[in-house]
Amino acid sequence: MTQSFPVAAVAAATAELDLSRYRPVRVGSAPVRIEAGPHGVWRLASQEPLGAYPDRITDCLVRGAGQHPERTLAAQRGPDGAWRHISYRQMLEQARAVGQALLDRGLSAERPLMIWSGNDLAHLQLALGALYAGIPYCPVSPAASLQGSDYTKLAHFVRHLTPGMIYATDAGACAAALAATVPDGVEIVAGHGDAGRPSTPLASLLATAPGTVDAANAATGPDSIAKFLFTSGSTKLPKAVTTTQRMLCANQQMLLQSFPAFGDRPPVLLDWLPWSHTFGGSHNVGIALYNGGSYYIDDGKPTPRDFATTVRNLKDIAPTVFFNVPKGWELLTAALRDDAALCRHFFSQMELFFFAGAGLSQAAWDALEQVSEQQCGQRIRIMAGLGMTETAPSCTFTTGPVMMAGYVGLPAPACEVKLAPVDGKYEARFRGPHVMPGYWRAPEATAAAFDEEGYYCSGDAVRFVDPDLPELGLMFDGRIAEDFKLSSGTFVSVGPLRARVISAGAPYIQDVVVAGIDRDSIGLLVFPRLDQCLALSGLGAEADAAAILSSAAVRRHFQQLLAQLNAKATGSASRIERILLLEEAPSVAAGEQTDKGSINQRVVLSRRAALVEALYAGGHTVLSAG
């Protein structure tokens, strides 16, 4: 059975959504084709065809250098605090020089460039130089080379990709990692610092005279590999996702048609999301480049210590679109409440909000809308979607008629979505020009990632907002691999339960890990927000985590939260029997948390197995349901 739902029908379903309260912005609203097939399978697709897109993402750089050569493409504060700008013209010149230097050294897909760096201008110069020359590159999270002494993952990256060159912004800080993981024959390029071995200064690459690089660029096509991005590797060693030029360009065209506002005026971004992840490096940088916009690198982070840097930057830069993880949005909401001047500047050009990395709780969503409406008289549309590294990244967007936490929307143009029943849920599967050809040098993993029809199997579960109105779109329903059974055989759906706890526990909960595999009941390991819990405790600023979490006021609050959550429980799959408040924050170095803030449930449960045992053994530190 196939149904087509025109725009008018979808609009009728939004009668309760008062768009007059939101700042006007152009958002796509294509009709959706929905098919209910045999064996409980559903298929969804936009009926809007995908427009033409370039063969290479650097074609956008060439176009920009011709049409608006002096417009800022990227900027970052220098050591003196002043913004350093690189225009489209300058970046094209630098990309051609870097690309030629890489070609001269014989780099290729078999010997790619690896970038050990956070987000900085040199990183972008190298990335665009590699892309221009048709040479793949791989950005590596700084956490892999700078934190701790366990270089297991980093060594795997190097062995798997066999790089021909490694760039380190801070070669001194990376010296130990270089010595532990990189063979002597691999050229090291340094931004600054002593690599502990011979190295090439970045300036020498930028000084290379172009020769054959333009011909190499012309020979690069849609199926050429643009970059490798490693997966998180929650259960096994990370896999390298082969990201092609077609994937990057098609996904940006999908974004533009989903959000035509990006084409109405050049977007301005101020962003910190790491380029070693697909959302920051492919999605956000791509939005600026594809649409002739400007990308300002934010050296701040969504932590109590580093968020002041973001606020400082927002007082200089007025973005048209703003991206952040849920914790960043919560910190920003508080800052906007307290600073009228920041509010005026922040909202002066703003058109769209996006969140990534994890679901925004409904409490945080409501608070953001409230401060927007109070401070600027209008709400800003809060957008999200469903995407992953293997799909470059975006598949669905919240362009449908629903605005609420957990909504992931409708398929973007050219993305075919298949909902396949798996373990009592619908697994979202995707097919389209934005989907990877496979994992690099991993044929078995590639074969396992696709079903018999060529759909990529995401492992993400979704459900319809309303089963009787599938045209309204999809809600996120957790990761199928995270779900588990209690000893009774009852399935526990981890994603929705985590979201419910975090929302109900705001602002005192940072994140939650759900325990209970093969046990009689559900338990929670709770990462509290110590700053909020300190205020609740009534203790002095010198109090440590143990004192804060053992205070009567904090324990009473979480005991009441447990009772509140269980009052709405419908059985053992949603009833929480015990809570343990964790003194130690999630560790990025140990892989418990990514550098964009997502919790890896499996790693936390494995690394803190003793605490899981303590959770179920009870004792005075565990809060139990009555």
Side-chain angles (χ1 to χ4, degrees):
M1 176 178 64
T2 302
Q3 305 174 60
S4 176
F5 298 94
V7 175
V10 175
T14 72
E16 298 181 5
L17 188 62
D18 184 5
L19 288 176
S20 67
R21 300 176 70 180
Y22 292 83
R23 180 167 289 178
V25 61
R26 285 214 300 153
V27 172
S29 56
V32 181
R33 185 180 70 252
I34 299 176
E35 177 183 344
H39 311 297
V41 172
W42 287 82
R43 300 174 194 271
L44 294 79
S46 170
Q47 293 196 54
E48 179 181 348
L50 189 65
Y53 52 86
D55 289 341
R56 298 160 291 266
I57 195 67
T58 49
D59 289 355
C60 304
L61 177 60
V62 174
R63 180 189 65 207
Q67 295 180 354
H68 38 80
E70 302 311 315
R71 181 182 298 166
T72 295
L73 169 57
Q76 184 178 26
R77 286 193 192 274
D80 61 354
W83 287 98
R84 179 190 169 201
H85 297 256
I86 300 181
S87 70
Y88 276 80
R89 175 187 57 79
Q90 291 169 326
M91 188 65 82
L92 178 58
E93 293 172 355
Q94 293 161 2
R96 293 177 70 234
V98 169
Q100 185 64 55
L102 302 182
L103 289 171
D104 291 346
R105 289 159 169 81
L107 267 64
S108 66
E110 302 301 324
R111 300 179 63 245
L113 167 68
M114 289 187 78
I115 300 176
W116 294 9
S117 170
N119 300 0
D120 60 31
L121 294 177
H123 185 148
L124 191 58
Q125 290 166 330
L126 286 158
L128 289 172
L131 288 166
Y132 190 83
I135 293 169
Y137 75 100
C138 176
V140 173
S141 167
S145 59
L146 297 178
Q147 296 187 15
S149 58
D150 182 358
Y151 301 121
T152 302
K153 279 190 177 181
L154 188 63
H156 165 68
F157 295 165
V158 174
R159 285 194 306 270
H160 192 70
L161 290 187
T162 59
M165 176 188 288
I166 290 177
Y167 169 75
T169 292
D170 187 343
C174 295
L178 290 167
T181 63
V182 180
D184 289 340
V186 177
E187 183 178 6
I188 307 301
V189 176
H192 59 84
D194 182 0
R197 60 200 286 181
S199 62
T200 303
L202 173 62
S204 70
L205 271 64
L206 290 167
T208 305
T212 59
V213 69
D214 293 332
N217 176 259
T220 302
D223 294 319
S224 299
I225 301 172
K227 62 181 173 179
F228 300 109
L229 288 171
F230 278 97
T231 62
S232 60
S234 58
T235 58
K236 300 178 182 178
L237 284 173
K239 301 181 287 290
V241 174
T242 304
T243 304
T244 66
Q245 294 277 356
R246 185 193 314 277
M247 291 167 64
L248 295 177
C249 295
N251 207 240
Q252 285 301 321
Q253 183 61 30
M254 294 159 73
L255 267 160
L256 177 57
Q257 290 178 224
S258 299
F259 303 100
F262 293 157
D264 291 341
R265 62 171 171 168
V268 175
L269 286 75
L270 173 76
D271 189 46
W272 69 271
L273 284 160
W275 295 347
S276 54
H277 293 270
T278 186
F279 200 90
S282 298
H283 186 279
N284 293 0
V285 173
I287 286 172
L289 181 61
Y290 196 83
N291 300 286
S294 301
Y295 186 105
Y296 290 82
I297 298 171
D298 179 15
D299 292 322
K301 294 289 186 294
T303 65
R305 184 190 67 182
D306 296 330
F307 195 70
T309 300
T310 295
V311 171
R312 176 193 179 198
N313 291 336
L314 285 172
K315 290 182 177 180
D316 279 0
I317 310 302
T320 62
V321 55
F322 195 67
F323 300 85
N324 222 316
V325 297
K327 175 60 177 175
W329 280 116
E330 292 171 20
L331 290 168
L332 178 61
T333 299
L336 292 171
R337 282 199 190 105
D338 296 338
D339 191 330
L342 171 67
C343 241
R344 285 192 297 272
H345 195 253
F346 178 74
F347 285 112
S348 63
Q349 305 296 322
M350 189 62 63
E351 295 181 337
L352 289 167
F353 292 159
F354 284 79
F355 62 88
L360 188 67
S361 72
Q362 192 62 51
W365 183 300
D366 292 342
L368 178 59
E369 290 208 318
Q370 182 182 49
V371 74
S372 298
E373 197 162 31
Q374 287 176 345
Q375 298 296 333
C376 72
Q378 294 173 306
R379 297 181 177 185
I380 304 296
R381 290 191 66 167
I382 304 173
M383 313 305 295
L386 189 59
M388 54 224 62
T389 308
E390 290 85 348
T391 60
S394 301
C395 296
T396 71
F397 293 109
T398 53
T399 53
V402 178
M403 286 191 201
M404 62 185 295
Y407 182 56
V408 295
L410 296 163
C415 177
E416 301 174 66
V417 180
K418 177 181 178 180
L419 308 186
V422 175
D423 294 336
K425 291 193 171 189
Y426 285 122
E427 181 187 28
R429 300 180 179 180
F430 304 106
R431 191 167 66 182
H434 63 307
V435 177
M436 69 170 184
Y439 298 111
W440 183 244
R441 295 175 174 169
E444 292 183 2
T446 297
F450 293 88
D451 70 11
E452 67 283 354
E453 295 183 293
Y455 284 84
Y456 170 69
C457 303
S458 71
D460 286 333
V462 295
R463 59 180 173 82
F464 290 112
V465 175
D466 183 342
D468 295 326
L469 293 171
E471 66 272 22
L472 297 183
L474 303 169
M475 299 288 290
F476 185 67
D477 203 21
R479 289 282 298 169
I480 290 173
E482 289 182 343
D483 294 349
F484 60 84
K485 286 183 180 180
L486 297 172
S487 59
S488 63
T490 301
F491 259 111
V492 176
S493 185
V494 170
L497 179 59
R498 282 183 63 244
R500 183 163 64 93
V501 174
I502 292 170
S503 184
Y508 301 104
I509 291 180
Q510 174 184 336
D511 219 316
V512 170
V513 169
V514 182
I517 299 173
D518 296 329
R519 296 183 185 267
D520 294 338
S521 60
I522 295 172
L524 301 180
L525 298 178
V526 174
F527 291 105
R529 294 228 163 101
L530 286 178
D531 54 342
Q532 297 289 341
C533 289
L534 174 61
L536 181 64
S537 72
L539 300 175
E542 71 285 352
D544 61 15
I548 293 169
L549 299 181
S550 62
S551 70
V554 169
R555 290 182 63 81
R556 183 166 56 251
H557 171 81
F558 279 96
Q559 193 72 59
Q560 292 170 348
L561 174 64
L562 182 57
Q564 173 190 335
L565 291 165
N566 284 336
K568 298 180 180 179
T570 56
S572 60
S574 56
R575 179 176 170 80
I576 302 159
E577 288 295 335
R578 61 202 80 234
I579 290 177
L580 181 61
L581 304 178
L582 302 179
E583 298 175 18
E584 179 194 355
S587 168
V588 173
E592 292 184 325
Q593 184 182 48
T594 70
D595 45 12
K596 64 177 181 178
S598 303
I599 284 288
N600 188 320
Q601 165 133 334
R602 288 180 179 272
V603 173
V604 173
L605 290 174
S606 174
R607 182 171 180 262
R608 307 192 188 220
L611 289 176
V612 175
E613 292 302 323
L615 174 68
Y616 282 91
H620 72 279
T621 60
V622 176
L623 300 171
S624 301

